Amino acid sequence: MKTRSVLCGTAAVASLGLATARGQAPIAINASDMFNQVGQYYRGHANIGDVDVGGRLGTLGGPQAWDFTTGPEDRIFRFDYVATTEGGLEATFPAAAFAERKTDESDGSQAWMYLRQQPGQGRINYGFHDPAFSDSQPTSPFTPPIVDFPEVINFGDAWTANTTFDSEISLPDIGGDAFSVDEEDPGGGGFAIPIRVTYSSSAKADAYGLISLPGSLGFGNCLRVNELTQWDIAADLGLGEGYQTISTQFTRNYYWLRNGRGIVVQITSKQGDVQPQDDFPLAAAFVRMFETNHPDGVVEVPTIKGFKLALSAEGGLLTWTKASGVTSYRVEYTTDLANPASWQVLSTTSANFALDENANKPGFPTRLYRVVGTN
């Protein structure tokens, strides 16, 4: 009598990610790990002035460990995720689903970003409102909007973003008699120059490991993202020549992303007219999360979809649909489902199929199969 191989239909057997070694293999950051729900918030310690970050950035790859339990505590930033109507700019950013409101608790100043978490894409950024960037034109929509963080981020993933936005540079009035004072405008007046900024960025999740945070947040698995940004600044000087490039500036950002916590640490290089090196020694910004109401991370284990077995004289062909965020698979089989120790490896692959040449052959008992994501 011919034997035949069958698929095991239980969800536990046909699941992915069960064999990943937590803390050793890289994690994946999913949409649920990020801040994208109204009512969520976090607070972070931040610096004033340049900060020495020598030896704190880490290296490529992993696993490695970052200790951010200590660092500058010059001020505290609070990030609240609120309805777009709270900022009064919902008409300027009609496609945004929520806003990130950043408050400097030392002086109450605020800045806003307008966002949407779009399934299948990631976090879409529509622009910002920031009086510290421009006091005369603080609101700048992006054309087009950018995806600043993809929906799923795995170690080795890379992405880019490109957009343009308009703003103004305010300058004091340097005309007239330098020794006279205008009683109606003792500050000397001033004027604004329109600018157009072409922004581009390239980012890569280039390292992974464990990260330790202040207080009760403890430690957890993380990915490090290395992002290089370029700002091409053009100004319209009112000479009838339109916008003319006046400067190109670069910054490098490091983000540490943790399951259930999103961006837990950000370190930004000083701005300059040359690209900052990967291991820059001084940072202009250093923010470390120490408090949040974001729910703890839940490892999202995608399930097998389209799992099929086709039999022929050549054996059994197993096929399945590739899962987002899973780049390699281990195919296993057993002839005794009641014995958990009986599972054996048939093959490992980055593809979405595997061939068992012994399936459906005389002399071989019935086999049951499962597929396990290995990263």
Side-chain angles (χ1 to χ4, degrees):
M1 181 180 68
K2 275 192 173 183
T3 61
R4 58 173 296 173
S5 300
V6 298
L7 290 172
C8 182
T10 65
V13 173
S15 65
L16 301 177
L18 301 180
T20 300
R22 306 298 294 169
Q24 298 298 317
I27 61 168
I29 297 295
N30 298 280
S32 61
D33 296 313
M34 304 297 281
F35 285 77
N36 47 40
Q37 302 296 317
V38 171
Q40 293 177 339
Y41 84 93
Y42 71 93
R43 299 169 74 211
H45 294 297
N47 62 299
I48 296 176
D50 295 341
V51 180
D52 182 356
V53 291
R56 306 201 71 168
L57 301 179
T59 58
L60 294 173
Q64 55 192 294
W66 291 273
D67 183 359
F68 289 122
T69 57
T70 61
E73 298 184 4
D74 303 321
R75 55 183 169 178
I76 292 174
F77 291 147
R78 180 182 173 110
F79 297 83
D80 287 283
Y81 294 82
V82 300
T84 58
T85 53
E86 290 204 20
L89 293 173
E90 63 274 17
T92 304
F93 301 98
F98 61 95
E100 177 193 88
R101 184 182 65 210
K102 173 186 174 183
T103 303
D104 185 338
E105 294 188 3
S106 67
D107 60 13
S109 60
Q110 294 183 335
W112 302 69
M113 285 198 305
Y114 290 84
L115 310 164
R116 172 182 290 274
Q117 189 72 42
Q118 184 66 32
Q121 290 183 264
R123 193 178 81 168
I124 302 179
N125 192 328
Y126 294 93
F128 64 91
H129 174 88
D130 187 357
F133 185 87
S134 173
D135 57 359
S136 59
Q137 187 177 326
T139 303
S140 294
F142 290 161
T143 306
I146 62 173
V147 175
D148 53 9
F149 291 96
E151 182 178 36
V152 179
I153 303 174
N154 289 281
F155 173 64
D157 286 354
W159 61 96
T160 61
N162 298 274
T163 193
T164 300
F165 63 90
D166 292 337
S167 191
E168 289 182 346
I169 299 175
S170 296
L171 297 175
D173 186 355
I174 58 176
D177 186 346
F179 297 98
S180 65
V181 176
D182 185 341
E183 294 180 357
E184 296 182 358
D185 186 9
F191 60 98
I193 297 176
I195 62 170
R196 179 160 292 166
V197 179
T198 300
Y199 169 88
S200 59
S201 69
S202 58
K204 183 175 183 177
D206 67 348
Y208 67 93
L210 295 171
I211 188 169
S212 297
L213 298 174
S216 62
L217 295 185
F219 71 90
N221 292 285
C222 72
L223 291 178
R224 185 188 75 172
V225 174
N226 181 349
E227 178 190 53
L228 178 66
T229 65
Q230 178 174 331
W231 311 71
D232 296 314
I233 305 168
D236 184 351
L237 302 178
L239 304 177
E241 299 177 350
Y243 287 97
Q244 303 293 314
T245 300
I246 59 172
S247 178
T248 295
Q249 297 290 301
F250 299 90
T251 59
R252 188 177 298 278
N253 300 306
Y254 281 105
Y255 303 98
W256 283 262
L257 280 62
R258 179 173 151 183
N259 287 138
R261 298 289 182 260
I263 303 170
V264 294
V265 174
Q266 178 179 345
I267 296 179
T268 300
S269 72
K270 298 178 66 175
Q271 182 175 296
D273 55 9
V274 296
Q275 295 184 6
Q277 61 196 55
D278 285 329
D279 57 343
F280 56 84
L282 293 177
F286 187 170
V287 182
R288 301 172 300 128
M289 180 188 294
F290 70 88
E291 176 185 312
T292 184
N293 69 347
H294 195 292
D296 290 338
V298 176
V299 178
E300 296 185 4
V301 181
T303 56
I304 280 287
K305 295 181 179 179
F307 196 16
K308 298 178 181 178
L309 172 66
L311 298 172
S312 73
E314 283 74 34
L317 177 64
L318 294 123
T319 59
W320 59 91
T321 302
K322 282 192 172 183
S324 175
V326 181
T327 57
S328 63
Y329 304 87
R330 185 176 68 251
V331 182
E332 301 178 346
Y333 72 91
T334 183
T335 58
D336 182 7
L337 188 60
N339 180 9
S342 67
W343 287 97
Q344 300 182 58
V345 176
L346 175 67
S347 66
T348 57
T349 179
S350 60
N352 64 330
F353 66 92
L355 176 65
D356 183 358
E357 296 179 348
N358 294 322
N360 202 35
K361 299 289 181 67
F364 289 93
T366 298
R367 292 183 171 184
L368 298 95
Y369 300 91
R370 69 182 179 187
V371 177
V372 182
T374 55
N375 79 327

